[in-house]
Amino acid sequence: MYCTNKDGDDCTFSTTLTRVGLPLVHTYAMEFLLDKYGVDLAIWAHEHSYERLWPMYNYTVLNGSNTHPYTNPRGPVHITTGSAGCKERIDAFGDKPYWSAFRSSDYGYSRLHAINKTHLHWEQVSDDQDGKIVDSIWLVKDKHVPYQLLREPEAKNNIK
């Protein structure tokens, strides 16, 4: 849905089909559904790289706070983890936009630990660096609600 590779795949365009749906009619758009149902983490692949984004919706960063962006974020967290390796090597990155939090071109793999109903721990492990953890975040959500309720001040009173 979002990526900053220079390979020209669908995710490199702001009108990617997974994000906005079919041209003109915009049916089958997934970003709206992720937001509507309060999806915590969207894990993507098929790009030959690793990239973690800030919580976001429609190219708008929606961090929980400046100091704890992944604690009660106001939008889904997107991670592309496609760096397991292949004969084609890795995809090069373009310029780093404001919505990309961390990128790696190392071959590697990801680990997700579901600690409890409110805490997820994510790690990216580099094979190129002998198993070094090159990225790690805690994703914490105290309440699971549609993100719209977290963003609209008048709707906050309706959160139970």
Side-chain angles (χ1 to χ4, degrees), residues 40-109:
D40 303 326
L41 179 63
I43 303 170
W44 307 95
H46 201 69
E47 295 298 312
H48 301 164
S49 60
Y50 170 81
E51 184 166 25
R52 173 178 46 84
L53 307 182
W54 299 114
M56 63 187 283
Y57 177 72
N58 194 26
Y59 287 93
T60 302
V61 173
L62 299 163
N63 291 344
S65 70
N66 288 334
T67 55
H68 299 287
Y70 300 102
T71 298
N72 297 314
R74 296 171 297 131
V77 175
H78 296 264
I79 296 178
T80 301
T81 177
S83 62
C86 72
K87 64 182 179 182
E88 298 166 0
R89 296 295 304 159
I90 51 98
D91 290 334
F93 288 109
D95 293 335
K96 187 175 179 186
Y98 63 92
W99 42 267
S100 179
F102 181 84
R103 308 185 299 183
S104 174
S105 295
D106 289 1
Y107 277 168
Y109 57 93

Side-chain angles (χ1 to χ4, degrees), residues 92-127:
F93 288 109
D95 293 335
K96 187 175 179 186
Y98 63 92
W99 42 267
S100 179
F102 181 84
R103 308 185 299 183
S104 174
S105 295
D106 289 1
Y107 277 168
Y109 57 93
S110 299
R111 293 190 288 225
L112 174 64
H113 305 274
I115 307 304
N116 56 38
K117 67 181 183 177
T118 60
H119 289 67
L120 294 176
H121 186 237
W122 179 274
E123 296 176 318
Q124 179 65 14
V125 181
S126 171
D127 284 342

Side-chain angles (χ1 to χ4, degrees), residues 14 17 64 100 104 135 138 151 156 158:
S14 63
L17 298 178
S100 179
S104 174
D135 189 39
W138 282 92
R151 292 194 300 261
K156 285 184 181 180
N158 297 326

Side-chain angles (χ1 to χ4, degrees), residues 24-40:
L24 303 176
V25 292
H26 299 290
T27 54
Y28 308 111
M30 287 181 59
E31 185 169 42
F32 169 76
L33 294 174
L34 297 178
D35 187 69
K36 178 180 178 180
Y37 293 106
V39 172
D40 303 326

Side-chain angles (χ1 to χ4, degrees), residues 138-158:
W138 282 92
L139 178 56
V140 179
K141 280 185 73 177
D142 295 328
K143 291 185 167 93
H144 185 79
V145 297
Y147 288 111
Q148 182 179 8
L149 293 178
L150 299 175
R151 292 194 300 261
E152 295 179 4
E154 66 276 2
K156 285 184 181 180
N157 295 329
N158 297 326

